[in-house]
Amino acid sequence: MRPEVLAMPERLAPHRVTVIAPSPVSMFNLAMPEMLFGKVEADGRPGYEVVVCTAEPGPVPTTGGLDLYVPHGLDAVRQADTVVVAGTGAPFEPDPRIVAAVRQAAADGKRIASICTGAFQLAEAGLLHGRRATTYWAHADEMRKRYPHVDLRADVLYVQDGPILTSSGYAAGIDLCLHLIRTDYGAAVANEVARRALVAPVRPGGQTQFTQTPLPPERGTACADTRGWAMRNLDKPLTLTDLARHAGVSVRTLTRRFHAESGVSPLQWLLHQRIERAKELLETTTLSMDQLAAACGLGTADSLRAHLVRRTGLTPSAYRAQFSRHGTAPQTAA
C-alpha cells in the first residue's frame, strides 16, 4: 500500500523567533538558529522568521575576537513568539537589560530558550527557579553555586520544562533547535531540515517529542553499520541475536559496545527508533494503526498506543490529529 502524504497544518504567518546576542556572543550559537529555522518550509512558505537583536544595536564583540553588526535592539523581543538567548563568553555577568527583556517575555507567555551559557541570563531572570535546566558542563558547578534553586541536569543535551528550554554546550544547540521545529511542525519537517543541514535528524542522545531528559550522545562508530541495517529493517522482529549476528560478534560483546557508543542498550535504542518512525508515519501517511504499528516494528495497535503514550503523553490518534489536521487519517484502533 502506498501511503497518502498529508499536508502540514496551514499557518497564517511565520513563527517569529528572536535571538538575543549577549556580549561577547558565540558566533556558532548565533548561526545555529538561522541555519536551522531558516530551512523550514510549510506549504511552500517560510515556517519561521528569525531576527537577531542585542542590548546595544551596532557592533557586538564575539568570543572569536570579531565584531558582528546587529541593527536590532531588544524591542524585537516584543514581537517574538519564541525567544532564544545565545551563549556568551561572559556568562557570570548577565546583562540586566537582557535579563529584564526575557523576564518580561516570559510574563507575556512567550516560549524562552537558551543555548549554552545563555542559561545564566535565564537563571538571573528567575525563569529557572525550581525548573529542570542545563548549561555548558564546564560551568555547571558555578550554576549550582549561583542559582541553587535550579534543578540542574548537567549530563543531558537539552531540557524542556514547560515553556522554558535550555541546552548544554555548542552542538547541543542544534538538538534544541530541531526539537523546537519538531514541536512546532512535527518530526517529518524536522527530519527534512536535519537532512538539508547535514546533521542527524534524531541523535541517539537526542530527545523525542515531549521527552524532557535526553540520553547521552553517540560516542563511537563500531556498531554504525549495524545501526544503519537495523534502521532499514525496523518492520522486522529484530532480536539481540539478529543484531549480534549482523555485527559479527557475540550478544555480550554487542551489548557492551552498543552501550559504550550510544549510552543505551541495543533494545532501548531500537525502541527509540521505532517510536520515531511511528511518529513520522502518523504525521505523513493515512496508514491504519495496525498497519503503522507493523511498519515500524511495534507489532500491534495496542503496543503502538502504549509506547507512544508513555513517550509523548498522546495517543496515536491525538498525535496524528495535532500534526495532520488537514488529513483524513482513520482514527480507529488507537
Side-chain angles (χ1 to χ4, degrees):
M1 174 181 177
R2 183 176 180 179
E4 178 185 344
V5 177
L6 303 177
M8 288 301 299
E10 183 178 356
R11 288 182 179 269
L12 297 178
H15 186 104
R16 292 165 296 184
V17 177
T18 295
V19 185
I20 299 178
S23 177
V25 69
S26 163
M27 290 188 292
F28 185 42
N29 280 194
L30 276 186
M32 281 185 283
E34 190 284 326
M35 176 185 72
L36 296 168
F37 295 130
K39 287 181 168 57
V40 174
E41 291 186 358
D43 296 328
R45 293 176 295 178
Y48 293 94
E49 175 188 346
V50 181
V51 174
V52 177
C53 70
T54 190
E56 291 187 18
V60 178
T62 71
T63 55
L66 303 175
D67 284 351
L68 293 177
Y69 186 80
V70 179
H72 301 289
L74 293 174
D75 287 348
V77 173
R78 290 201 293 267
Q79 284 74 50
D81 298 307
T82 295
V83 178
V84 179
V85 182
T88 172
F92 310 143
E93 302 171 12
D95 189 316
R97 295 165 295 182
I98 294 176
V99 169
V102 295
R103 184 185 292 126
Q104 184 60 53
D108 292 340
K110 301 180 189 298
R111 185 171 59 181
I112 313 292
S114 66
I115 300 175
C116 196
T117 56
F120 282 83
Q121 309 276 346
L122 273 55
E124 185 68 17
L127 304 186
L128 304 184
H129 190 101
R131 293 186 184 272
R132 292 177 296 275
T134 190
T135 189
Y136 183 42
W137 65 268
H139 299 317
D141 288 343
E142 190 66 25
M143 173 70 81
R144 291 191 181 97
K145 177 182 175 182
R146 290 171 177 263
Y147 307 104
H149 296 295
V150 176
D151 183 3
L152 191 68
R153 309 295 178 92
D155 58 346
V156 300
L157 294 177
Y158 64 95
V159 178
Q160 176 168 4
D161 192 325
I164 309 297
L165 301 95
T166 52
S167 71
S168 56
Y170 299 103
I174 295 175
D175 298 285
L176 174 67
C177 291
L178 288 174
H179 173 69
L180 291 172
I181 294 169
R182 192 176 298 115
T183 299
D184 295 336
Y185 290 96
V189 172
N191 289 350
E192 177 59 26
V193 169
R195 284 189 285 270
R196 292 177 65 185
L198 299 179
V199 296
V202 178
R203 290 200 285 169
Q207 286 202 7
T208 57
Q209 187 80 28
F210 304 115
T211 301
Q212 301 197 1
T213 49
L215 300 169
E218 188 174 311
R219 297 182 293 271
T221 59
C223 295
D225 287 344
T226 297
R227 287 194 294 268
W229 172 78
M231 289 292 292
R232 295 189 296 272
N233 291 276
L234 287 179
D235 59 326
K236 297 180 174 60
L238 301 177
T239 65
L240 271 176
T241 301
D242 295 329
L243 295 171
R245 183 181 299 115
H246 182 274
V249 296
S250 67
V251 169
R252 183 176 179 179
T253 298
L254 173 80
T255 301
R256 175 172 50 79
R257 290 180 180 175
F258 218 100
H259 196 282
E261 292 181 12
S262 300
V264 293
S265 72
L267 294 184
Q268 286 174 320
W269 177 88
L270 193 60
L271 178 60
H272 178 92
Q273 303 304 330
R274 292 191 195 284
I275 295 172
E276 278 300 305
R277 179 68 56 82
K279 287 158 60 180
E280 185 165 352
L281 292 176
L282 282 167
E283 295 168 22
T284 61
T285 77
T286 57
L287 291 174
S288 71
M289 298 307 171
D290 282 317
Q291 291 171 323
L292 194 146
C296 61
L298 289 173
T300 66
D302 287 342
S303 176
L304 167 65
R305 179 189 175 95
H307 285 299
L308 199 69
V309 168
R310 187 177 301 117
R311 184 63 63 88
T312 70
L314 297 175
T315 66
S317 292
Y319 188 92
R320 173 172 270 170
Q322 179 169 340
F323 292 111
S324 298
R325 288 189 290 269
H326 291 282
T328 56
Q331 302 296 308
T332 59

